[in-house]
Amino acid sequence: MSVAIKVENLSKAYQLGQIGTGTISRDLERWYARIRGKEDPFLRIGESNDQHSKSESNVVWSLKDINFEIKQGDAVGIIGRNGAGKSTLLKILSKVTAPTTGKISGKGRIASLLEVGTGFHPELSGRENIFLNGAILGMRKKEIQRKLEEIVDFAGIERYLDTPVKRYSSGMYVRLAFAVAAHLESEILIVDEVLAVGDAEFQKKCLGKMGEVSKGEGRTVLFVSHNMASIKQLCDKGILLNNGIVQYSGKISKIISSYFINYNKQEVFFENDDFSAKKLYCTNAKNQTVNSVTNGSELFIKVLLEVKVQNPNLGFCIAIYNGMKELLTCINTFHIHSEIASLGTGKHEFVIPIPKYIFNEGEYFINLHLNSSSGDLYYIIENCYTFTILDDDKRRGGIYRDSWPGQISLVPNININVVQ
């Protein structure tokens, strides 16, 4: 199988604050280095792209020495935390921006959907923008006309086709933009996180189309999303970015596991005069720290707090979200305030058991809300732990061959009474 995209020693640096080196002589030195194909003499090497810390330099490396190959027909998921360099990488691959160093070689035309409105002219109608995008990809007018009806039908905006796209909602924009990118004859399809704008039905439709494009038509798909369920459904391979470098690449199941393991290594920390929050984690019935269990097994959420004073002014809430970031439940300490108020100083572990067959299979995210005993909010720690529920095949009984439907996975005790 031929190589669709090859990336060699790719780096991208951005200058923060005011653009320029500060003097004309240094600007000329930078320009002279660029025309000779040399690296910028004023870039500082070795600084990590940490959004939470202030650097001595006003230059940040969004990507640093990236190397990978993508085969033709592969569906590749690119994952990582915010600021890892995912969108920058896609912009470089789409030729929206140029790399600072390194090179990219590719085979075939690229259609990309990077953000709402990219590549559309707001004054042109939906129909005119379809032809404009096709022309940019190098397609002939007859080729675009042949695909026009299929694009309009997929986007579901036939009524507004001849209306200027500046009057479209963000959802309509994304529907048309994705339909254009997926149906025009490009060999490589690049999709950033914009699908989050669409509704759940359209997201499902888009995932189905990307799967068809990759597996049915042999086209290459690069997909960025924070929804791990969507990534897992579509992609067979993945790339994990961390602070601008490729941390792992390979099978998507291993990449997602590595992402969650690294994500959950970070300890929760908050401190005030009454207490400090040390850690939140999950264990199984054997008291082993886990990132995944079957829905037929017990799961325990544990919060480690250190109390500094007698009768601490302390409370907390655990909010659990599904992969679509929908709130499923909140578990709070409201009913045990008297027990918390009587705690002595020292470290205390709060254990919250999650019964069997409550959550269906999928990825789940925990937010920790720290508050006073009266309910005043101190701090919210978002996505402080992520866990995966795997399906227990024993209860399926041949009815559902795919995932069990619904958000919960309840297996009730069903009693049968004789009615006279």
Side-chain angles (χ1 to χ4, degrees):
M1 190 177 293
S2 61
V3 175
I5 298 174
K6 185 176 182 179
V7 172
E8 299 175 89
N9 302 318
L10 182 71
S11 298
K12 179 65 178 178
Y14 287 105
Q15 184 166 344
L16 305 179
Q18 186 177 357
I19 303 302
T21 60
T23 66
I24 293 176
S25 63
R26 297 179 79 186
D27 283 346
L28 288 172
E29 192 176 342
R30 172 178 283 174
W31 170 80
Y32 185 54
R34 187 182 305 127
I35 64 172
R36 289 185 299 148
K38 303 293 184 181
E39 188 171 299
D40 189 331
F42 299 107
L43 294 181
R44 297 196 181 184
I45 306 300
E47 289 189 328
S48 63
N49 183 17
D50 187 352
Q51 302 174 72
H52 304 290
S53 64
K54 185 172 177 61
S55 169
E56 295 178 0
S57 169
N58 62 347
V59 173
V60 61
W61 288 91
S62 183
L63 297 171
K64 188 61 184 171
D65 293 330
I66 300 290
N67 292 276
F68 61 82
E69 283 187 2
I70 296 174
K71 303 290 186 183
Q72 186 178 345
D74 282 350
V76 180
I78 301 175
I79 62 178
R81 309 186 88 180
N82 290 333
K86 305 184 299 295
S87 295
T88 301
L89 176 60
L90 294 196
K91 285 178 181 177
I92 293 174
L93 294 176
S94 303
K95 296 182 172 58
V96 172
T97 188
T100 304
T101 61
K103 65 176 184 177
I104 301 167
S105 52
K107 184 180 179 182
R109 292 176 294 193
I110 296 175
S112 57
L113 184 57
L114 300 179
E115 57 188 56
V116 177
T118 299
F120 275 19
H121 193 296
E123 299 295 338
L124 299 181
S125 68
R127 185 190 304 273
E128 290 166 333
N129 271 295
I130 292 172
F131 281 90
L132 175 63
N133 273 255
I136 290 170
L137 286 172
M139 296 180 65
R140 298 177 182 274
K141 187 176 180 180
K142 287 185 178 179
E143 292 179 281
I144 303 169
Q145 285 176 328
R146 195 169 63 246
K147 294 276 186 178
L148 182 63
E149 186 176 341
E150 194 177 348
I151 291 170
V152 174
D153 182 61
F154 187 91
I157 58 156
E158 185 175 1
R159 184 177 182 183
Y160 308 98
L161 186 61
D162 294 306
T163 301
V165 296
K166 67 180 181 181
R167 307 194 192 282
Y168 286 14
S169 68
S170 58
M172 291 167 64
Y173 235 120
V174 167
R175 294 174 81 95
L176 181 59
F178 180 85
V180 171
H183 287 83
L184 295 183
E185 295 174 356
S186 60
E187 285 75 28
I188 301 168
L189 175 63
I190 296 176
V191 181
D192 206 342
E193 298 168 277
V194 291
L195 294 187
V197 178
D199 54 44
E201 181 184 354
F202 185 68
Q203 288 182 36
K204 186 176 180 180
K205 191 176 180 181
C206 289
L207 288 172
K209 180 61 181 177
M210 284 192 285
E212 178 188 321
V213 161
S214 174
K215 297 178 176 62
E217 301 176 20
R219 291 156 66 186
T220 306
V221 175
L222 273 68
F223 182 41
V224 166
S225 177
H226 286 291
N227 187 331
M228 295 302 140
S230 298
I231 289 274
K232 193 172 183 179
Q233 178 184 337
L234 173 68
C235 305
D236 46 17
K237 296 180 181 178
I239 296 171
L240 175 59
L241 291 178
N242 185 27
N243 285 333
I245 63 172
V246 174
Q247 192 161 12
Y248 301 104
S249 64
K251 291 186 177 179
I252 193 63
S253 56
K254 292 185 178 180
I255 298 302
I256 292 174
S257 297
S258 299
Y259 170 73
F260 284 142
I261 289 169
N262 288 336
Y263 206 103
N264 295 333
K265 277 181 180 177
Q266 299 202 4
E267 294 188 352
V268 175
F269 183 78
F270 173 82
E271 188 169 15
N272 66 10
D273 293 337
D274 282 9
F275 71 96
S276 62
K278 296 294 185 183
K279 195 175 183 181
L280 184 149
Y281 60 106
C282 294
T283 64
N284 58 16
K286 296 179 180 179
N287 201 32
Q288 299 168 323
T289 301
V290 293
N291 300 110
S292 64
V293 295
T294 65
N295 47 19
S297 304
E298 290 181 304
L299 181 71
F300 299 88
I301 300 174
K302 298 184 178 182
V303 181
L304 181 62
L305 303 176
E306 183 173 1
V307 177
K308 300 178 181 180
V309 297
Q310 298 290 335
N311 304 319
N313 188 17
L314 166 63
F316 66 82
C317 168
I318 289 173
I320 302 178
Y321 296 78
N322 64 10
M324 300 293 289
K325 297 300 177 70
E326 298 168 324
L327 178 62
L328 300 182
T329 188
C330 286
I331 304 166
N332 62 59
T333 56
F334 177 79
H335 300 291
I336 59 167
H337 275 170
S338 58
E339 287 92 329
I340 292 177
S342 63
L343 288 176
T345 59
K347 292 182 180 180
H348 301 273
E349 186 178 68
F350 295 77
V351 181
I352 300 101
I354 304 297
K356 301 176 182 179
Y357 297 121
I358 292 296
F359 294 120
N360 206 347
E361 65 174 323
E363 277 76 41
Y364 296 88
F365 303 85
I366 297 176
N367 286 5
L368 180 61
H369 298 227
L370 298 166
N371 54 266
S372 68
S373 54
S374 59
D376 296 325
L377 183 64
Y378 292 136
Y379 195 64
I380 299 176
I381 306 164
E382 295 187 348
N383 296 337
C384 58
Y385 204 86
T386 307
F387 64 91
T388 305
I389 298 295
L390 306 173
D391 193 36
D392 185 348
D393 292 333
K394 294 178 183 178
R395 68 193 174 89
R396 233 177 235 180
I399 301 173
Y400 297 104
R401 302 199 179 276
D402 295 319
S403 61
W404 195 264
Q407 292 292 337
I408 64 173
S409 178
L410 185 64
V411 177
N413 291 321
I414 301 176
N415 297 318
I416 302 176
N417 298 322
V418 177
V419 179
Q420 299 294 335

